[in-house]
């Protein structure tokens, strides 16, 4: 699945209403401020957020509730009506993550470990990891799938790069974990200290560390 369509949402989710516009196909799910997608789905829990979403030219669809939509019906974007917009937003993202290959971006990039890199035998390097020239991976480091390590990077003992640390949405006093679908990118000439944990990005935006 390369895009998220309104038909896909209709097939897999109930108790929502979709008011379609010219936007029927989307390249991601993200919060209002993101700009790394060209036509994405976001959510608005009140009028302030709704107005901000309308002004973001990269948003193609807004998940909101009836009250917010009725206060300002005008929009050239697709509207998805839900009783709990933020919860539906999290459920949509997690469903796409768990049951489709939409977020499997790993095959789209070339991965390699440069022959000049030094990696301790006590470290664990997952598949689909890039490590650049003259980089040094010290003892007991864990580097998770999809991470990109630049040139001349030193990662000190016991660090963990790219784990999924859940963001959460609350529903009925229970937490809904928001899957972290992106990756970590560590730029050239960077030093990562002992025992550091750097979580992968969420909602399509990588965690990037520069020197």
């Amino acid at each position: 699945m390369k895009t998220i369509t309104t038909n896909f949402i209709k097939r897999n989710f109930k108790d929502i209403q979709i008011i379609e516009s010219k936007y029927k196909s989307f390249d991601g799910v993200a919060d209002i401020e993101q700009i790394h997608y060209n036509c994405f789905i976001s959510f608005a829990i009140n009028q302030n957020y709704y107005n901000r979403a309308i002004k973001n030219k990269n948003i193609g669809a807004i998940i909101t509730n009836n009250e917010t939509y009725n206060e300002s019906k005008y929009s050239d974007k697709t509207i998805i009506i839900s009783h709990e917009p933020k919860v539906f937003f999290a459920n949509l993202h997690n469903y796409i993550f768990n049951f489709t290959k939409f977020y499997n971006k790993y095959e789209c990039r070339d991965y390699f470990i440069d022959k000049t890199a030094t990696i301790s035998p006590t470290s664990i390097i997952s598949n689909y990891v890039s490590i650049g020239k003259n980089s040094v991976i010290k003892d007991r480091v864990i580097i998770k799938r999809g991470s990109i390590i630049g040139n001349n990077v030193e990662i000190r003992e016991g660090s963990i790069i790219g784990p999924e640390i859940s963001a959460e949405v609350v529903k009925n006093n229970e937490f809904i974990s928001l899957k972290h679908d992106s990756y970590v990118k560590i730029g050239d000439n960077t030093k990562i200290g002992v025992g550091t944990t750097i979580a992968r990005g969420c909602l399509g935006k990588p965690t990037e560390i520069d020197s």
Side-chain angles (χ1 to χ4, degrees):
M1 188 172 83
K2 294 183 179 179
T3 61
I4 306 160
T5 64
T6 52
N7 284 336
F8 169 85
I9 297 171
K10 290 175 185 176
R11 285 196 308 270
N12 292 289
F13 294 93
K14 308 300 180 185
D15 300 323
I16 59 169
Q17 177 188 0
I18 298 181
I19 303 166
E20 290 189 355
S21 70
K22 62 182 178 180
Y23 301 109
K24 298 180 182 181
S25 181
F26 314 98
D27 59 355
V29 177
D31 61 59
I32 288 173
E33 303 300 333
Q34 301 302 336
I35 57 172
H36 56 283
Y37 289 125
N38 294 315
C39 183
F40 68 92
I41 301 170
S42 192
F43 70 94
I45 57 176
N46 56 41
Q47 194 63 38
N48 177 46
Y49 281 92
Y50 187 84
N51 291 336
R52 288 164 61 190
I54 288 174
K55 292 176 183 177
N56 187 331
K57 64 181 182 180
N58 290 17
I59 292 178
I62 306 170
I63 303 167
T64 192
N65 54 44
N66 260 317
E67 295 164 2
T68 300
Y69 175 64
N70 286 332
E71 287 182 34
S72 177
K73 289 189 175 181
Y74 173 76
S75 173
D76 64 346
K77 305 178 189 298
T78 289
I79 303 298
I80 302 171
I81 303 292
S82 170
H83 295 300
E84 298 179 279
K86 193 172 183 180
V87 172
F88 177 73
F89 173 84
N91 287 338
L92 174 63
H93 168 74
N94 288 346
Y95 185 92
I96 294 167
F97 183 92
N98 288 323
F99 299 109
T100 77
K101 294 184 178 180
F102 179 79
Y103 285 124
N104 191 358
K105 311 295 185 183
Y106 306 122
E107 289 113 2
C108 299
R109 300 197 303 269
D110 294 326
Y111 289 87
F112 66 94
I113 296 178
D114 193 87
K115 62 182 180 181
T116 63
T118 302
I119 302 173
S120 166
T122 62
S123 289
I124 299 173
I125 312 298
S126 298
N127 294 330
Y128 300 106
V129 167
S130 290
I131 300 176
K133 296 178 181 177
N134 301 313
S135 289
V136 178
I137 312 300
K138 297 282 191 173
D139 293 338
R140 303 180 308 283
V141 170
I142 298 173
I143 303 180
K144 304 290 282 187
R145 177 185 175 108
S147 299
I148 300 174
I149 313 301
N151 301 318
N152 303 307
V153 172
E154 181 181 7
I155 302 179
R156 298 291 304 277
E157 294 84 349
S159 294
I160 303 174
I161 309 299
E164 180 183 317
I165 298 178
S166 296
E168 277 138 0
V169 173
V170 179
K171 179 183 180 182
N172 298 329
N173 296 319
E174 295 182 0
F175 289 104
I176 299 173
S177 294
L178 195 64
K179 297 291 186 180
H180 282 224
D181 57 89
S182 196
Y183 59 95
V184 172
K185 182 176 182 181
I186 298 178
D188 297 344
N189 307 307
T190 302
K191 290 188 177 182
I192 306 298
V194 174
T196 299
T197 297
I198 302 175
R200 71 181 68 175
C202 189
L203 301 174
K205 188 173 184 180
T207 299
E208 296 185 293
I209 307 294
D210 291 326
S211 59

